[in-house]
Amino acid sequence: MERPTWAPPGIDISVPSVSRIYDYFLGGSHNFEADREAGRRAMVAFPGLPKIMQANRAFLRRAVRYAVGQGVTQFLDIGSGIPTFGNVHEIARAADPATRVVYVDHDPVAVAHSRAVLDGDPRAAVVAADLRDPRAVLASDEVVGLLDLDRPVALLLVAVLHFTPDGDDPWGAVAELREALAPGSLLVLTHASTDVGPMKPEEGEAVEGVYRRAGSPLHMRPRAEVARFFDGFEMVEPGLVSMPAWRPDPVNGGRGAPPAPADDPAMHVGFGGVGRKP
C-alpha cells in the first residue's frame, strides 16, 4: 500500500480511523483505503450516512454562529477531526475576528493536519488529547495559554460522545468539563441515535458492527441517555432535536422557517442540542 507523503510517520494506514472515515463521508481527501472500505461497508448498512455527516456539519456551523451571537468568543472543540472547509475558527471569525479556538483530537492525522492549517495563527491551536481525560485537556499548554476559563467558553462535543463507551463514563467526563467552565458557557453536542429519523434499530446495529470491526465501537444511545449529557445545563430552544430541526437557517427569507422539503430524511438521524451553564 503506497504511503501518501502527508501521512504522519508511525501511523498504521491499514487500520481505519473514525476521523478519516468521517472525512471520507464528507468528500475529503485525507483518508486511506482502509477508511474508505470501512465507510463503504457502513453505507451498505445505511446508505444515508454521508447525509447524516452533512447535517452534522451544518448544525455545527449554526451552533457556532449562535454562540458568537451570544457573545461567546472562546471555543474548545473536542473530537475536532480532520480540518475541512469551514472550520470552527473560520465560521466564528466571520462574525468576530477576535475568536479563540482550541481543537482537541487523538487521531495523529487529524492533529498533524490541524497544526498545518493553524501554523502561524496566534489565536488557534490543537491539542493531542482524549475526551476521556478531561484533566489533560484542561491542563494543556494550549488551553491554558489561549482560553480564559473564567469567561464563557463554547464546549463543542460534536459527533464524538457516541464513540465513548458507557464503561468509560462519558457523562462523568462531560460533567468534569462543565465544572471547569464559567457561567454562561455553552455545551454544543450531537449524538448518533435511532430514536429519531428513518434509521431502523437493525440498521443502527449493522452500522455499529462496521465501526466495531474497524476498532472504533459506535454506541447509538436513546434520547434519554443523550439528554443526560446536558445535566447542569439549561437547554437552549428548541431543545434536543434532530440536527436539521435545531434553529434552521431561514428559507425564502422566512425567519425560523423549517428545513427545505428536499432535505434527505437521513439528515434527521441522531440528535443535536445546545445547553447554557447557569
Side-chain angles (χ1 to χ4, degrees):
M1 184 183 300
E2 184 177 352
R3 188 181 189 88
T5 57
W6 51 262
I11 69 167
D12 186 349
I13 66 174
S14 69
V15 177
S17 152
V18 166
S19 62
R20 298 194 302 269
I21 295 172
Y22 186 75
D23 179 70
Y24 167 67
F25 283 143
L26 288 175
S29 59
H30 293 106
N31 49 76
F32 308 127
E33 180 54 32
D35 308 306
R36 295 188 286 272
E37 177 57 29
R40 289 191 288 267
R41 289 198 304 270
M43 283 191 288
V44 169
F46 188 74
L49 282 172
K51 291 295 184 180
I52 299 174
M53 309 310 167
Q54 291 169 22
N56 192 78
R57 289 295 298 183
F59 168 87
L60 173 64
R61 289 192 294 270
R62 297 195 306 276
V64 167
R65 292 197 298 264
Y66 170 81
V68 177
Q70 296 296 303
V72 179
T73 57
Q74 302 186 106
F75 291 83
L76 178 58
D77 185 359
I78 302 180
S80 51
I82 293 171
T84 59
F85 175 74
N87 291 307
V88 170
H89 67 283
E90 294 170 335
I91 300 165
R93 287 179 189 168
D96 189 331
T99 296
R100 296 174 179 268
V101 180
V102 176
Y103 296 100
V104 180
D105 209 289
H106 66 270
D107 184 307
V109 173
V111 172
H113 279 282
S114 296
R115 286 177 174 156
V117 168
L118 301 174
D119 185 39
D121 188 331
R123 298 190 308 280
V126 60
V127 180
D130 196 304
L131 166 67
R132 292 169 294 186
D133 190 356
R135 293 184 184 180
V137 172
L138 296 169
S140 65
D141 291 342
E142 292 82 359
V143 170
V144 172
L146 273 180
L147 303 183
D148 179 0
L149 297 185
D150 291 327
R151 295 175 49 242
V153 172
L155 170 62
L156 309 182
L157 298 176
V158 176
V160 63
L161 287 164
H162 47 235
F163 290 110
T164 308
D166 291 2
D168 287 340
D169 190 16
W171 297 277
V174 174
E176 189 169 345
L177 291 164
R178 179 195 69 222
E179 290 307 303
L181 301 178
S185 293
L186 301 174
L187 170 62
V188 176
L189 181 153
T190 65
H191 198 292
S193 177
T194 59
D195 275 13
V196 64
M199 184 184 285
K200 300 174 183 176
E202 58 269 25
E203 292 173 323
E205 290 174 5
V207 172
E208 288 178 334
V210 171
Y211 277 92
R212 184 166 55 250
R213 289 190 293 275
S216 300
L218 171 68
H219 307 272
M220 295 198 188
R221 296 186 169 99
R223 189 184 192 283
E225 292 187 4
V226 177
R228 284 178 53 201
F229 289 115
F230 287 98
D231 286 353
F233 292 91
E234 298 173 346
M235 293 300 298
V236 170
E237 290 293 335
L240 187 62
V241 294
S242 69
M243 291 177 287
W246 193 88
R247 295 178 176 256
D249 291 327
V251 177
N252 297 326
R255 183 176 178 81
D263 278 355
D264 191 307
M267 290 183 165
H268 293 268
V269 172
F271 291 105
V274 175
R276 179 182 290 104
K277 182 175 177 178

